[in-house]
Amino acid sequence: MTERENIGVFLVCEDQLECAGLIALLNNDRGISIVGDTPSAATAQRMTSTLRPNVVLRSERALSHQTIELAEKIAEQSNESNPIHLIALLPSLNDPDIELLRIDRCIVLDRHMSSAELVAAIRVTAAGYLPVRSDLAGNLARASVSLKGASGIAGKQVLNLTKRERRVFELMIQGLSNPEIAAALNVAESTVKSHVQGILNKLDLRDRIQAVIYAYEAGLVQRSFHLEEQRTHAHC
């Protein structure tokens, strides 16, 4: 955060009623200040460089190219000493929305989240942490994961994983937590934690979010099966 006492938020929202509601909500929190608002993502690109908010809050009904451009611009303007974060509020997480997760300091959250959850997400984001929307795991859990189909550099990296690490990686990118993976593989949770760290190190990934993005980009995830089928395979 900057030296500003409160968290500075800049709103980018095309719906005037929604914008008014967000202003009323956030102004009611003594730790948050609205530094500006606009319905235009293009205008926001220019204004954020001047206003330097801690968080740019973008809400829309479907991911637009303008939002991706805004995220890229904010990433360029941001730096370690004075970071700017973009929170994109979207109704659902689809494959194109994964583009946003590859952009530095960009977060995708549920557009219909509660007021308390939104305020908490803004605070967590401004503090430098990464809140993750729950349906990311749900979407991935409904995917068919096939590490045998990996190709190119990613395929070679995956082959560096041990047989057990590959199995943990499959379950990890389906959205299973460490306790769930431990239960599926009938091992201790501490063992799973060790495998997860080994996987991240071997694939040169920072965290689970990067692992998810890696899986998408490497073509390891193909949407074809349902959650129930995946859970059946996970326990085989």
Side-chain angles (χ1 to χ4, degrees):
M1 289 181 57
T2 64
E3 296 179 355
R4 184 190 295 112
E5 182 178 354
N6 290 346
I7 299 170
V9 176
F10 185 86
L11 294 178
V12 188
C13 183
E14 296 173 358
D15 188 315
Q16 291 184 348
L17 288 177
E18 182 183 13
C19 184
L22 288 171
I23 290 174
L25 166 67
L26 299 179
N27 275 337
N28 195 45
D29 189 291
R30 288 184 292 180
I32 296 175
S33 297
I34 303 295
V35 300
D37 67 272
T38 178
S40 167
T43 301
Q45 289 187 40
R46 298 191 299 271
M47 297 183 70
T48 53
S49 62
T50 302
L51 296 174
R52 305 296 303 180
N54 301 114
V55 174
V56 175
L57 185 62
R58 168 61 162 165
S59 179
E60 57 184 343
R61 291 182 173 85
L63 178 63
S64 65
H65 182 66
Q66 289 78 12
T67 296
I68 294 177
E69 289 183 341
L70 174 61
E72 292 172 341
K73 185 66 175 180
I74 288 174
E76 292 176 3
Q77 296 173 352
S78 188
N79 55 64
E80 291 299 326
S81 61
N82 192 7
I84 304 175
H85 305 272
L86 173 70
I87 296 179
L89 300 179
L90 297 169
S92 62
L93 186 65
N94 300 311
D95 285 346
D97 304 339
I98 299 296
E99 293 290 330
L100 284 177
L101 296 178
R102 290 205 295 265
I103 302 173
D104 193 28
R105 295 188 175 90
C106 188
I107 297 113
V108 181
L109 295 175
D110 190 349
R111 188 166 180 260
H112 303 296
M113 68 197 310
S114 70
S115 299
E117 288 172 332
L118 177 58
V119 170
I122 290 173
R123 290 182 175 280
V124 167
T125 299
Y129 296 95
L130 179 66
V132 180
R133 57 184 292 165
S134 60
D135 70 337
L136 172 60
N139 278 8
L140 292 173
R142 288 189 289 273
S144 168
V145 180
S146 176
L147 297 181
K148 294 180 181 178
S151 60
I153 296 176
K156 293 179 181 179
Q157 288 179 317
V158 170
L159 291 177
N160 290 331
L161 302 179
T162 66
K163 183 177 180 180
R164 178 48 62 92
E165 285 174 337
R166 293 184 204 178
R167 187 63 176 138
V168 170
F169 187 47
E170 288 178 1
L171 299 176
M172 185 171 71
I173 62 179
Q174 288 177 57
L176 273 67
S177 65
N178 285 351
E180 290 172 328
I181 295 174
L185 301 180
N186 195 28
V187 298
E189 186 177 346
S190 59
T191 300
V192 174
K193 290 181 180 178
S194 178
H195 283 316
V196 169
Q197 190 56 55
I199 291 166
L200 296 178
N201 290 341
K202 287 183 179 180
L203 299 182
D204 194 25
L205 302 173
R206 184 181 63 245
D207 50 34
R208 285 174 178 259
I209 296 300
Q210 284 199 346
V212 169
I213 297 171
Y214 176 94
Y216 268 91
E217 292 181 330
L220 305 180
V221 177
Q222 299 173 347
R223 298 178 183 277
S224 58
F225 294 113
H226 293 292
L227 172 61
E228 290 75 17
E229 293 172 313
Q230 276 300 310
R231 284 181 173 172
T232 298
H233 293 312
H235 290 274
C236 290

